[in-house]
Amino acid sequence: MSTLLLRLAAPLQAWGTDSKFEVRRTNREPSKSGVIGLLAAALGLRRDADLSRLSALRFGVRVDRNGEVIKDFHMAKAEKTSYLTYRYYLSDAIFLVGLESEDRSFLEQIERALRNPCFPLFLGRRSCPPTLPLVLGIREDTLEIALREEENQNKDLKSIRQSHRYIRLDCDVGGQEGAVVQDLPISFNLMRREFGYRRAKEIWIRDDVNTEESAEEHDAMAEL
């Protein structure tokens, strides 16, 4: 079993799974549908492409820096009216994402595409481009082991103390543990977006940080 690891970090990210109409929310960690969209863009897939092979990848995410939810608003104008739309973002968050497969060659294909993407990559919305490094490489481990053993991507000591680190990953196929979430992409077709259900479980991580806390204020824009 092999696992491709990605580092998702940027001043702003947005991972909505239930956004509707004028309110565009974000989850507290990357969604599987959002990451599959990232992979599809890198591979050059169109919106009506078959996503079954990508969706079959076992998905997991480790939260290394929680980030802060912020709200922005946009004024949309039509010919005879105008209205406000509210958009939520995660500011200054860092995540480690894992994609597990028995087909290492497929993971290598994805890795090459992410390093040389066909379409621009973004973390949930077009206004949220990722910072580098995005790709950390392929590990010869299961998803859970790879997410547990990879070093913390958050290097700021003060925010390490303030962050609540955990892993959220797909449950085994056919299992009954975990929570059911509607976050399995079937089609990104603009005329008929379709998402199925998957089960995900959560594992909390305890950090023992003995280094003295830095007194310096952390700068969210430092990722740039």
Side-chain angles (χ1 to χ4, degrees):
M1 197 69 71
S2 300
T3 300
L4 173 63
L5 293 180
L6 309 178
R7 173 184 174 273
L8 303 187
L12 293 176
Q13 305 182 41
W15 304 102
T17 56
D18 62 351
S19 298
K20 294 181 179 180
F21 308 110
E22 289 83 12
V23 180
R24 304 291 179 179
R25 304 189 184 280
T26 180
N27 292 358
R28 295 307 301 257
E29 68 278 328
S31 60
K32 184 170 185 175
S33 56
V35 173
I36 295 301
L38 179 80
L39 305 184
L43 291 164
L45 301 182
R46 301 291 175 176
R47 286 190 172 272
D48 58 353
D50 181 5
L51 301 175
S52 58
R53 197 176 182 195
L54 289 174
S55 295
L57 296 170
R58 192 174 180 216
F59 169 81
V61 56
R62 189 185 75 194
V63 179
D64 283 351
R65 187 155 71 215
N66 301 104
E68 180 182 355
V69 176
I70 62 175
K71 181 173 70 173
D72 189 18
F73 71 91
H74 295 251
M75 176 70 77
K77 293 186 178 181
E79 184 177 352
K80 296 182 178 181
T81 186
S82 62
Y83 58 93
L84 289 175
T85 64
Y86 296 89
R87 302 185 185 188
Y88 292 81
Y89 296 88
L90 274 178
S91 172
D92 197 28
I94 298 179
F95 304 103
L96 178 70
V97 164
L99 300 157
E100 180 191 87
S101 176
E102 295 180 353
D103 187 352
R104 182 186 170 92
S105 63
F106 184 43
L107 294 180
E108 291 173 348
Q109 179 187 353
I110 295 172
E111 180 181 16
R112 289 192 297 270
L114 288 168
R115 295 186 188 278
N116 300 278
C118 182
F119 298 125
L121 305 181
F122 48 87
L123 305 186
R125 296 194 187 122
R126 291 186 179 89
S127 58
C128 306
T131 57
L132 298 178
L134 173 62
V135 181
L136 299 182
I138 297 175
R139 309 291 186 258
E140 295 304 320
D141 288 310
T142 63
L143 178 63
E144 183 174 338
I145 291 176
L147 291 176
R148 283 183 178 275
E149 295 188 352
E150 192 71 15
E151 67 175 346
N152 192 341
Q153 300 302 303
N154 182 9
K155 306 304 181 185
D156 181 74
L157 294 178
K158 184 176 181 179
S159 65
I160 287 176
R161 294 177 181 274
Q162 295 173 343
S163 292
H164 303 287
R165 299 180 68 223
Y166 59 92
I167 294 172
R168 188 186 298 274
L169 70 162
D170 286 346
C171 299
D172 295 331
V173 177
Q176 297 301 311
E177 62 179 336
V180 177
V181 290
Q182 191 175 8
D183 181 33
L184 188 66
I186 298 173
S187 173
F188 290 137
N189 192 319
L190 291 176
M191 301 302 294
R192 186 184 177 185
R193 295 174 184 263
E194 189 174 359
F195 300 90
Y197 293 88
R198 65 185 179 95
R199 284 187 175 271
K201 62 182 179 180
E202 199 168 272
I203 302 169
W204 286 85
I205 300 173
R206 178 178 177 180
D207 283 318
D208 294 318
V209 181
N210 298 318
T211 309
E212 291 186 6
E213 181 177 331
S214 171
E216 296 182 0
E217 187 72 19
H218 178 68
D219 180 11
M221 300 304 290
E223 279 294 337
L224 295 175

